[in-house]
Amino acid sequence: MSTEWSKTSWRNFPALQQPNWPDKAEHEQVVAEIAELPPLVFAGEIRDLKKQLALAAEGNAFVLQGGDCAEEFAMCKAPVIREMLKVILQMAVVISYAGGKPVVKLGRMAGQYAKPRSADTEMVGGVELPSYRGDMVNAIDPTPERRRPDPRRMLEGYFRACATMNIVRAFTRGGFAALDRVHAWNNAFVANSPQGQNYEKLAKNIDQAINFMKLIGIDTEIPQIKQASFYTSHEALLLGYEEALTRRDSTTGDWYDCSAHMLWIGDRTRQLDGAHIEFLRGVLNPIGMKVGPKHDLDEVKRIIRRLNPDNEPGRLTLITRFGAKKIEEHLPQLAREMKREGFNLVWSCDPMHGNTYTAASGYKTRNFDEILQEIRAFFQIHWNEGTVPGGVHFELTGENVTECTGGGREILDEHLINNYMTNCDPRLNAEQSLDLAFQIAEMLR
Ligand code: PEP
Ligand code: CO
């Protein structure tokens, strides 16, 4: 099976979930144009991330991956990106300080612009339209013209990903993410909540620790305190875009997909003989793979061997997304079998995608208690099986949205309408996210 890999060899395999580009020549033209543009990330950074993920595989670090279900072009604005970063930094500091493990921070950011859909078309007001596949493909507006897949949007996605990446680097390196500023990450609408208050206490402890270091003459003007390491990730769905950003590292000669530090494969596109697996087997980035209730154990094993033939730690993260009601049925056996095979894996829990339901109001939502229940079961099952619960994967936002029900403010079905902003899946708001971070820290301890 292992024929020669190249960044275009995926083209010889069936690729699911690709848009029906009306003008194929124009798509190829855009891929060629992006291939001439600079990469978004550098191979050395990707290798650093892989080392940190290897620590998470053995339980010596914890992975926090989060961001929008689908980033929107219109939300590529400094305040929106800053609020997203704040909530992730805040969760990370809670998990590391209260949970006692270093946290690997991964944004679903700077390229999460393409979505798999259950059908190619949908009915809107009696009219059949192409499904919305993310801003890098078409627009959400329900008109035939705006829903037409337009490859020029990939180019725009590239530039917006660059702009996002740039401000993320500035925030994380330029002092915004310094540990002596932890208070400033508390979101205004969260600050007075019980979780916001708990966070203030924790932040005060960190302040005191840093002040004490200064007092006894330890230099605190160091990168460990003044900067945060932060990595980007998205679903590697549009293979033309990923191919265009796949580059040979000049220092090692190896191939990396430089559209993001980590790429993941969705639950719908991980066929053993499909184009996505073919593409990702050849790049050296850390790879995530979603695994849902419909998986076939034997196929999962074969995919793992194909993606990580050398069993390199940090290369592969299995992101399980069974749902609170199904995790007990599936995860124990999966964990046991993977352990028996001796696979080096990071185990991460996506408690979002298996817990989606449509509320009576018609809104697609997820309930806070079910999300928490899946996370608890995830930890418990891995402890029982002697495998390592290594991370979590969330859809969240720093905005004060009402998209998921429950949590400290007891968002009810009838409240969803108040501030339901997502174009895609419902996200945790900053308060619900912080709440989960405290609960996870508790579990880790
Ligand atoms: C997602 O992460 O947004 C997603 C589509 O997940 P999955 O592939 O697990 O359904
Ligand atoms: Co989603």
Side-chain angles (χ1 to χ4, degrees):
M1 184 58 235
S2 272
T3 46
E4 200 68 13
W5 180 92
S6 77
K7 65 177 177 160
T8 58
S9 57
W10 64 270
R11 290 169 179 262
N12 302 318
F13 296 76
L16 298 192
Q17 296 284 346
Q18 303 303 290
N20 268 320
W21 304 110
D23 185 340
K24 303 276 187 295
E26 194 186 16
H27 172 260
E28 293 310 311
Q29 169 64 37
V30 170
V31 169
E33 244 176 88
I34 298 175
E36 295 290 321
L37 289 162
L40 274 110
V41 303
F42 167 59
E45 299 173 323
I46 299 176
R47 285 190 286 270
D48 286 343
L49 172 60
K50 206 189 255 180
K51 280 187 207 141
Q52 297 194 35
L53 291 170
L55 294 176
E58 57 193 32
N60 291 320
F62 193 77
V63 181
L64 173 65
Q65 188 169 22
D68 294 313
C69 178
E71 284 180 284
E72 293 171 35
F73 287 177
M75 292 294 132
C76 181
K77 298 174 181 173
V80 176
I81 297 165
R82 186 193 60 220
E83 292 308 301
M84 178 68 85
L85 202 59
K86 267 164 63 178
V87 68
I88 297 175
L89 289 171
Q90 195 178 24
M91 292 171 82
V93 89
V94 167
I95 296 173
S96 58
Y97 189 84
K101 272 189 212 284
V103 173
V104 186
K105 297 177 282 298
L106 269 169
R108 284 175 67 114
M109 290 172 87
Q112 177 55 17
Y113 288 125
K115 299 305 299 174
R117 300 316 296 251
S118 44
D120 233 11
T121 60
E122 62 174 345
M123 297 299 288
V124 185
V127 187
E128 186 176 21
L129 293 172
S131 299
Y132 169 64
R133 288 187 172 275
D135 277 5
M136 205 145 40
V137 176
N138 55 6
I140 184 88
D141 318 48
T143 67
E145 191 35 52
R146 301 279 290 155
R147 283 288 175 92
R148 195 172 168 253
D150 175 2
R152 308 297 305 174
R153 296 183 76 98
M154 289 202 302
L155 201 57
E156 178 161 3
Y158 165 83
F159 284 116
R160 288 186 186 258
C162 288
T164 305
M165 187 83 223
N166 185 57
I167 196 69
V168 166
R169 288 189 193 279
F171 281 143
T172 53
R173 309 274 164 86
F176 181 83
L179 271 178
D180 49 16
R181 287 189 77 258
V182 278
H183 286 287
W185 307 338
N186 213 358
N187 193 302
F189 76 87
V190 176
N192 289 319
S193 69
Q195 300 311 331
Q197 301 281 303
N198 280 345
Y199 179 76
E200 281 302 320
K201 282 184 214 144
L202 183 145
K204 208 172 272 171
N205 288 343
I206 293 174
D207 274 352
Q208 281 173 355
I210 294 174
N211 281 334
F212 182 70
M213 284 167 71
K214 282 187 190 145
L215 197 79
I216 60 172
I218 295 176
D219 181 13
T220 57
E221 300 291 310
I222 50 173
Q224 289 89 334
I225 287 180
K226 290 292 170 187
Q227 302 184 354
S229 58
F230 192 92
Y231 298 95
T232 58
S233 66
H234 61 257
E235 177 172 351
L237 185 71
L238 293 187
L239 292 173
Y241 179 78
E242 302 305 334
E243 173 194 307
L245 284 160
T246 295
R247 310 294 165 85
R248 191 163 216 157
D249 173 28
S250 57
T251 63
T252 60
D254 292 327
W255 290 96
Y256 289 89
D257 182 349
C258 297
S259 69
H261 299 107
M262 186 218 213
L263 285 315
W264 78 85
I265 319 174
D267 201 32
R268 292 170 233 216
T269 50
R270 50 166 189 74
Q271 298 71 31
L272 180 62
D273 292 316
H276 292 83
I277 298 288
E278 170 60 20
F279 173 74
L280 286 162
R281 82 176 168 95
V283 294
L284 265 55
N285 304 58
I287 303 296
M289 183 165 78
K290 295 287 201 89
V291 182
K294 291 193 186 121
H295 71 279
D296 176 90
L297 258 179
D298 206 53
E299 190 188 37
V300 171
K301 289 181 197 170
R302 291 207 268 166
I303 296 171
I304 292 174
R305 287 192 199 101
R306 175 113 13 118
L307 288 176
N308 194 14
D310 299 330
N311 205 16
E312 181 193 6
R315 158 72 168 172
L316 199 57
T317 299
L318 282 201
I319 307 166
T320 57
R321 29 90 82 228
F322 293 123
K325 295 188 184 75
K326 294 189 176 163
I327 185 168
E328 302 284 353
E329 182 187 331
H330 295 286
L331 185 57
Q333 193 189 11
L334 181 67
R336 209 172 301 146
E337 292 277 330
M338 300 301 112
K339 188 182 175 196
R340 178 155 53 222
E341 295 290 334
F343 292 143
N344 284 316
L345 294 168
V346 179
W347 288 98
S348 176
C349 174
D350 166 357
M352 311 301 293
H353 288 88
N355 292 312
T356 317
Y357 67 96
T358 304
S361 58
Y363 284 103
K364 195 154 97 162
T365 189
R366 291 154 173 165
N367 179 261
F368 183 88
D369 291 336
E370 290 190 320
I371 292 168
L372 182 57
Q373 197 189 326
E374 180 163 358
I375 300 170
R376 283 195 197 290
F378 167 82
F379 273 89
Q380 196 55 57
I381 291 166
H382 281 297
W383 289 329
N384 291 350
E385 299 299 333
T387 40
V388 176
V392 282
H393 181 117
F394 290 123
E395 289 182 343
L396 54 79
T397 174
E399 308 295 304
N400 189 10
V401 299
T402 53
E403 297 174 5
C404 293
T405 56
R409 273 177 215 215
E410 291 182 52
I411 296 173
L412 302 174
D413 186 5
E414 62 257 38
H415 300 140
L416 293 175
I417 194 171
N418 294 347
N419 200 19
Y420 195 95
M421 310 258 289
T422 181
N423 276 348
C424 211
D425 289 340
R427 301 160 296 178
L428 298 159
N429 63 29
E431 184 176 331
Q432 292 168 326
S433 302
L434 184 60
D435 198 342
L436 287 174
F438 276 107
Q439 310 260 9
I440 290 165
E442 194 70 31
M443 295 176 222
L444 278 172
R445 260 211 316 249

